[in-house]
């Protein structure tokens, strides 16, 4: 039980990194063929059930997608 709690807290945790990886995979799928003005990070998070604590990650990854 101690390992579970220790490994799933903070930005260095396995869970956090897995969720960030999932966001990175989903952003191109969500944004493909859509103008940046029509993309809404809150809708993205709701559509894919992304935890609230990843809101800044979602916004950052969406900005990165449109910079490329």
């Amino acid at each position: 039980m101690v390992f579970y709690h220790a490994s799933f807290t903070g930005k260095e945790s396995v869970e956090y990194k897995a969720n960030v990886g999932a966001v990175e995979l989903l952003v191109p799928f969500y944004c493909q063929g859509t103008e940046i003005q029509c993309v809404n990070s809150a809708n993205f998070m709701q559509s894919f059930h992304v935890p609230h604590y990843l809101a800044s990650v979602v916004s950052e990854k969406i900005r990165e997608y449109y910079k490329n």
Side-chain angles (χ1 to χ4, degrees):
M1 190 60 123
V2 174
F3 176 74
Y4 175 82
H5 289 291
S7 64
F8 289 96
T9 59
K11 290 186 176 183
E12 295 301 315
S13 72
V14 172
E15 182 77 12
Y16 180 84
K17 289 178 182 180
N19 285 337
V20 169
V23 169
E24 290 172 344
L25 291 172
L26 290 170
V27 163
F29 174 76
Y30 181 79
C31 295
Q32 184 178 25
T34 306
E35 296 295 322
I36 192 169
Q37 299 86 352
C38 298
V39 173
N40 183 307
S41 61
N43 287 344
F44 173 92
M45 293 179 68
Q46 184 177 14
S47 295
F48 296 110
H49 304 282
V50 177
H52 177 71
Y53 71 88
L54 291 169
S56 62
V57 172
V58 169
S59 296
E60 176 187 338
K61 297 303 177 185
I62 288 172
R63 279 192 303 275
E64 287 177 7
Y65 176 82
Y66 284 101
K67 283 184 183 179
N68 295 330

